[in-house]
Amino acid sequence: LRIAPVLTSAAQVVERTLYVHLHPGLNLGTGGQVRPVYIPPLGDLCTLISRLYSNAADICAHLDVRVLLTNVRGQLAPLSGNNGPFATPQTLSHSPEVVLTDFPIQDSGQSSLVTQCLQKYAGHCYVCTSSLSSVLLYPRLKEVSGEEDDDRGGRGAQLNPLETFSDVVVGGTFDRLHGAHKTLLNISCLLANRRFVIGVCDQELLKNKVLKELIEPYDRRVQKLQDFLNDVKPSLKYEIVPLSDPFGPSITDPELQCIVVSEETRKGGEAVNRKRVENGLAELVLYEIQLLKDAHHADIEEEKISSSSLRTRLLGTLLKPPSPQPDLSLDPYVIGLTGGSGSGKSSIALRLEGLGAARIDCDQLGHEVYLPGTSAYQKVIQEFGPDIVNEDKTINRRVLGGKVFGNQERLKALTDIVWPEIALLVKKRIKQAKEQGKRVCVVDAAVLLEAGWTYLVHEVWVATIPEEEAVKRIVQRDGVKEEDALRRLKSQWPNAKLIEHANVVLCTLWEPDVTQRQVLKAWNLLQHRIQKRQETTRSSL
Ligand SMILES: CC(=O)SCCNC(=O)CCNC(=O)[C@H](O)C(C)(C)COP(=O)(O)OP(=O)(O)OC[C@H]1O[C@@H](n2cnc3c(N)ncnc32)[C@H](O)[C@@H]1OP(=O)(O)O
């Protein structure tokens, strides 16, 4: 009952990392020296950890919350010396700058005694900054009655000791480490006495994930795991290994005793045990944790806290700041919208036009450069032969497309002729848009990045869709064969490479109104950015 109000009031003080140190019954009111105590691993502690992270996801999702377990110790684990926990202060990856407590003081005269005592206590346990300060929180505790009140009394609490194990294993993708991951990791640390093995999905196992191109690189995910685990329980031996199949070391490591699973991955845990038996190894104890519910999930997102929901929320937001373009006027602000064939890029461009942008369709401009009498017309016929000319002297683009799509060399011969001509037309259209008073231009260009046109735009926005879905759409829309659709896609950059260069990513995989909401979000955020940049430019003049 205290968790939510305490987190709410702590979130007003903390900007980045909130470490949670547990000390049941901590009394700071005596004026004497207070020392940390060992806490036995109880089932109750698992509930507390899970509630802490679930409340934190609701209340202070911007904070990196970490529950520290250095002073949790099973009876079987050997004690090092007689000094109790924190014989020397523990170094955390972010040294605490302020220590907070919700210890209730009796009267205001007591506060300086309590804060002094608290600072000494914090300094004994952790290496803190020399300017460590302390803050007394006054959480607004809700009046409670009935069922909730009973819960405070411990109804349903598990005061039984938790069975712990020497070697524990878990597996997962661990993309954008969130509260549900932290619950899983923290509880696993609680269960493990000696070694904790973490399998991290990579390569093949990521193939079918939603928005897989937005998954953090393996090294970054591992780095975040190490950083978190070293803070939580530095005494454990951590082994982080890449998983290229669903089992990894869980089916071959004879020393493992327990695997931590969720309701969703329980079947996977059972499969691990079948394989272990086949391999002549003892079965693992399956410890199941509850999935954390995501109070803010949208209709296309999962009900549980999940990385795919977090990735979905990134759509339309600024993923990386645009590189400065000192030679490009800020008026109008130019968005280069690109994406593979069938990615739904044109529907996004149309929506942006509806919101007030000037839309420049480069496929359309590309067609204009083939008109008889233009400077590209003769060059293209010379390069590709007279069989691309229709009876009425126009260029048959379908025939030309057949010659270039799927043949990098021939496509390059064509684009070397037409891209400079199309770029001239784009610049002309941007100028016209400015004259019409448009503040934003959207350059809808299928191969903007391949053409090196980033010098023409302030930001790159990428429309993305999984390749299989793109093939389906192209076949349906253009009535071409599947292999032709694939050939067209292969002549463009893959999604992952496009996204690497993107400032903003949009995905049209779901219903049209979901895309519209993403576009609106991206547009609104863009308006803020434009305003800010213009203010900065004005103030620097
Ligand atoms: C930098 C830019 O993005 S400019 C715009 C793209 N245009 C070019 O690169 C010029 C070269 N391409 C062309 O001239 C024409 O596409 C042709 C002649 C090859 C074929 O013309 P058409 O049969 O009328 O096809 P169309 O121009 O509609 O293009 C078909 C698809 O191929 C894509 N495409 C066009 N050019 C290229 C290219 N150079 N590389 C890969 N894909 C391309 C189009 O964007 C379109 O994708 P969509 O499914 O998302 O609409």
Side-chain angles (χ1 to χ4, degrees):
L1 286 172
R2 298 184 71 80
I3 293 175
V6 168
L7 285 175
T8 307
S9 91
Q12 293 169 17
V13 183
V14 186
E15 276 175 9
R16 185 177 59 177
T17 315
L18 177 65
Y19 288 114
V20 179
H21 170 94
L22 303 169
H23 185 139
L26 174 67
N27 185 357
L28 297 165
T30 60
Q33 206 174 42
V34 188
R35 285 279 177 252
V37 292
Y38 277 124
I39 306 173
L42 302 172
D44 202 22
L45 212 46
C46 296
T47 317
L48 177 79
I49 287 170
S50 160
R51 283 194 188 159
L52 247 161
Y53 286 120
S54 128
N55 275 287
D58 277 358
I59 295 166
C60 48
H62 63 291
L63 288 185
D64 177 3
V65 177
R66 301 179 183 195
V67 182
L68 302 171
L69 298 176
T70 304
N71 56 333
V72 177
R73 178 158 276 183
Q75 278 152 359
L76 296 175
L79 286 170
S80 59
N82 297 322
N83 296 331
F86 306 104
T88 54
Q90 180 185 339
T91 304
L92 298 169
S93 47
H94 309 281
S95 297
E97 295 161 299
V98 59
V99 50
L100 317 171
T101 185
D102 65 334
F103 178 76
I105 52 167
Q106 304 305 323
D107 57 71
S108 55
Q110 202 194 10
S111 69
S112 93
L113 191 73
V114 166
T115 52
Q116 271 174 31
C117 184
L118 178 66
Q119 275 176 241
K120 270 196 212 138
Y121 178 73
H124 177 85
C125 303
Y126 305 102
V127 177
C128 302
T129 57
S130 52
S131 56
L132 181 76
S133 58
S134 46
V135 169
L136 299 178
L137 301 175
Y138 296 97
R140 289 162 153 260
L141 300 184
K142 271 192 290 180
E143 286 295 317
V144 287
S145 61
E147 216 174 292
E148 281 184 299
D149 203 19
D150 287 348
D151 205 26
R152 180 169 49 169
R155 201 183 66 163
Q158 300 163 349
L159 292 171
N160 303 326
L162 191 70
E163 188 187 357
T164 57
F165 306 90
S166 77
D167 297 58
V168 173
V169 64
V170 297
T173 307
F174 300 106
D175 177 38
R176 297 166 205 285
L177 207 64
H178 53 61
H181 296 137
K182 291 178 184 176
T183 307
L184 176 77
L185 294 167
N186 254 140
I187 292 179
S188 304
C189 288
L190 208 56
L191 295 169
N193 291 320
R194 187 183 80 92
R195 189 173 63 123
F196 180 23
V197 180
I198 307 112
V200 178
C201 300
D202 196 24
Q203 315 260 339
E204 278 299 292
L205 289 182
L206 305 181
K207 259 173 57 184
N208 295 324
K209 299 260 176 207
V210 179
L211 297 170
K212 59 176 183 290
E213 297 83 7
L214 291 178
I215 294 176
E216 294 175 316
Y218 176 81
D219 289 347
R220 186 161 165 70
R221 287 179 281 137
V222 168
Q223 179 58 51
K224 284 192 187 172
L225 277 170
Q226 276 167 343
D227 190 63
F228 178 81
L229 294 168
N230 284 333
D231 276 347
V232 167
K233 195 168 172 183
S235 60
L236 269 190
K237 188 171 170 223
Y238 296 109
E239 275 173 31
I240 303 180
V241 292
L243 282 187
S244 50
D245 66 71
F247 301 112
S250 68
I251 57 167
T252 51
D253 189 325
E255 290 181 325
L256 292 174
Q257 295 181 335
C258 166
I259 183 164
V260 185
V261 294
S262 68
E263 201 179 296
E264 261 186 355
T265 58
R266 186 173 185 95
K267 284 216 163 65
E270 286 164 356
V272 163
N273 273 342
R274 282 195 296 275
K275 291 263 180 196
R276 281 182 75 88
V277 173
E278 277 169 33
N279 292 344
L281 297 172
E283 289 191 7
L284 303 176
V285 171
L286 296 190
Y287 187 92
E288 184 175 321
I289 60 161
Q290 274 194 343
L291 293 169
L292 296 195
K293 288 250 188 307
D294 184 348
H296 307 294
H297 77 95
D299 44 5
I300 58 159
E301 296 172 357
E302 296 170 278
E303 257 188 45
K304 57 167 189 169
I305 295 183
S306 83
S307 307
S308 54
S309 300
L310 295 183
R311 290 197 294 279
T312 311
R313 281 173 216 170
L314 291 177
L315 299 171
T317 66
L318 190 69
L319 296 180
K320 65 170 180 201
S323 340
Q325 298 276 36
D327 297 333
L328 210 57
S329 154
L330 279 178
D331 185 27
Y333 196 82
V334 187
I335 303 300
L337 176 63
T338 190
S341 195
S343 63
K345 164 180 71 64
S346 301
S347 69
I348 292 172
L350 281 167
R351 177 70 186 142
L352 289 167
E353 186 177 34
L355 289 166
R359 179 173 63 92
I360 301 173
D361 178 345
C362 295
D363 277 342
Q364 186 65 41
L365 295 184
H367 300 167
E368 283 179 27
V369 302
Y370 295 116
L371 293 176
T374 59
S375 64
Y377 180 77
Q378 281 306 337
K379 288 187 205 160
V380 173
I381 296 173
Q382 242 167 23
E383 180 70 38
F384 291 93
D387 58 319
I388 61 161
V389 185
N390 287 319
E391 273 179 18
D392 63 359
K393 303 271 184 251
T394 54
I395 288 179
N396 186 326
R397 297 196 309 265
R398 211 155 241 262
V399 174
L400 183 55
K403 288 182 184 235
V404 296
F405 289 135
N407 182 335
Q408 286 302 331
E409 213 179 295
R410 298 309 284 145
L411 184 61
K412 183 171 179 326
L414 176 66
T415 54
D416 281 350
I417 301 171
V418 295
W419 278 347
E421 302 293 331
I422 308 174
L424 285 177
L425 292 178
V426 170
K427 285 185 194 162
K428 207 162 127 190
R429 292 293 160 90
I430 294 175
K431 207 164 150 240
Q432 283 170 355
K434 183 179 174 155
E435 283 158 12
Q436 288 162 5
K438 291 285 184 187
R439 292 186 63 220
V440 178
C441 272
V442 177
V443 177
D444 172 357
V447 280
L448 180 111
L449 293 166
E450 292 90 325
W453 281 8
T454 45
Y455 73 95
L456 284 174
V457 303
H458 294 101
E459 289 183 17
V460 175
W461 291 17
V462 169
T464 182
I465 184 103
E467 195 181 83
E468 320 76 71
E469 186 62 31
V471 169
K472 265 194 237 157
R473 287 187 185 182
I474 299 170
V475 168
Q476 226 170 37
R477 184 192 61 183
D478 300 347
V480 294
K481 287 196 225 122
E482 207 174 293
E483 58 262 35
D484 289 331
L486 258 174
R487 250 185 341 133
R488 199 189 291 175
L489 284 174
K490 295 288 178 224
S491 48
Q492 302 176 340
W493 282 7
N495 285 332
K497 191 167 174 188
L498 292 174
I499 288 174
E500 257 175 52
H501 291 77
N503 299 110
V504 172
V505 174
L506 299 153
C507 177
T508 62
L509 181 62
W510 304 280
E511 295 301 310
D513 64 312
V514 176
T515 308
Q516 305 300 356
R517 281 204 297 272
Q518 275 175 42
V519 178
L520 186 61
K521 177 174 170 186
W523 175 260
N524 289 336
L525 292 169
L526 173 72
Q527 302 310 310
H528 283 293
R529 286 200 294 282
I530 295 177
Q531 202 176 342
K532 255 184 140 177
R533 279 188 74 164
Q534 285 170 342
E535 279 166 12
T536 323
T537 319
R538 248 177 272 147
S539 64
S540 65
L541 285 177

